[in-house]
Amino acid sequence: LVGEVSQGMWISTFHSACVRILRTEAERFGYTKAFTIYDSGDQRALIKRLIRDHGADRLGLTPASVSGKMSRLKNELVDVDSYRGQVRESDPNDVAFYQLWSDYQAELARSQAFDFDDLIVHTVQLFRAFPEVAAVYRRRFRHILVDEYQDTNHAQYALIRELTQAVLPEQVPESAPPHERENGLEAPALTVVGDSDQSIYAFRGADIRNIVEFERDF
């Protein structure tokens, strides 16, 4: 209906959009564009091996409990380095979990791989570490629509915040029109669709505050 202009649209999940961005920008953080993505089976097999190597099964740690806790922390944008400061040294389970998570992330890096949760986390970290990269996508996407917004978690919220910031004049490339180079660009327009009464994914990190506090935030 709208013609060729629609070819510039991305219509995807959060995760698949982040894969496209990460493959384009992979070399900035030491990965190749051909990185792999661990599915739940790959993740479980790796965690199971690490638990066995550490003898953590004696503490009652299981692949399901370890992967679940890692996922919850990643959805809150807590990475393994920042978690180190939260470890309760008096709690053997907490110490063992940290060691497992640390080795897990190191193994992913050695294998040039991400797990599902890493895709959004690393995209947010990419935009924060390289503002000029974030500016490329803020210029690229001038209108953003998020469906089922009541089911977004903190990491997804942070990604939206990164994409909906103004572009500063110094972040505009030389090839841009003169008015952009002089004034920058205002923040992209954001539309979300959702219903707070239909929020059913709190168990996997969805935060109802994202939609309840939308008007305050944006």
Side-chain angles (χ1 to χ4, degrees), residues 167-203:
V167 180
L168 303 176
E170 60 266 27
Q171 296 172 331
V172 175
E174 289 294 323
S175 58
H179 69 276
E180 282 191 36
R181 297 201 305 271
E182 182 177 347
N183 303 314
L185 279 172
E186 64 182 12
L190 173 66
T191 301
V192 304
V193 180
D195 178 357
S196 57
D197 289 338
Q198 295 185 39
S199 181
I200 60 173
Y201 289 112
F203 69 92

Side-chain angles (χ1 to χ4, degrees), residues 59 75 77-78 80 84 91 93 107 151 165 172 208:
L59 296 171
N75 286 335
L77 290 181
V78 177
V80 67
R84 177 69 184 89
D91 184 343
N93 282 63
E107 185 66 30
D151 293 328
Q165 301 292 321
V172 175
I208 197 172

Side-chain angles (χ1 to χ4, degrees), residues 45-187:
L46 174 56
I47 295 173
K48 187 176 182 179
R49 175 169 63 80
L50 292 173
I51 287 175
R52 184 177 65 248
D53 292 347
H54 283 275
D57 49 337
R58 294 193 299 270
L59 296 171
L61 293 176
T62 66
S65 67
V66 171
S67 64
K69 185 172 181 178
M70 286 194 307
S71 182
R72 288 191 298 274
L73 288 165
K74 289 180 179 184
N75 286 335
E76 289 295 320
L77 290 181
V78 177
D79 61 23
V80 67
D81 292 329
S82 57
Y83 186 74
R84 177 69 184 89
Q86 304 176 27
V87 175
R88 300 183 300 278
E89 299 292 347
S90 60
D91 184 343
N93 282 63
D94 204 23
V95 172
F97 169 77
Y98 167 75
Q99 293 171 339
L100 289 168
W101 189 12
S102 181
D103 286 355
Y104 171 84
Q105 293 300 142
E107 185 66 30
L108 286 184
R110 280 193 295 273
S111 302
Q112 289 278 302
F114 294 117
D115 68 21
F116 207 53
D117 295 311
D118 283 335
L119 298 172
I120 295 177
V121 172
H122 275 75
T123 304
V124 172
Q125 292 174 342
L126 171 74
F127 287 163
R128 291 177 176 177
F130 299 97
E132 70 278 11
V133 173
V136 168
Y137 293 94
R138 292 167 189 161
R139 292 184 71 244
R140 171 75 174 74
F141 301 116
R142 300 305 299 159
H143 297 271
I144 297 172
L145 167 66
V146 184
D147 196 12
E148 303 292 357
Y149 190 68
Q150 76 278 353
D151 293 328
T152 53
N153 60 36
H154 179 67
Q156 292 164 336
Y157 167 84
L159 178 66
I160 295 165
R161 292 291 287 184
E162 291 298 323
L163 285 169
T164 53
Q165 301 292 321
V167 180
L168 303 176
E170 60 266 27
Q171 296 172 331
V172 175
E174 289 294 323
S175 58
H179 69 276
E180 282 191 36
R181 297 201 305 271
E182 182 177 347
N183 303 314
L185 279 172
E186 64 182 12

Side-chain angles (χ1 to χ4, degrees), residues 22-33 35 126 130:
L22 291 174
R23 291 211 187 277
T24 301
E25 311 294 342
E27 294 173 0
R28 292 179 182 271
F29 45 90
Y31 274 66
T32 69
K33 297 179 187 296
F35 63 78
L126 171 74
F130 299 97

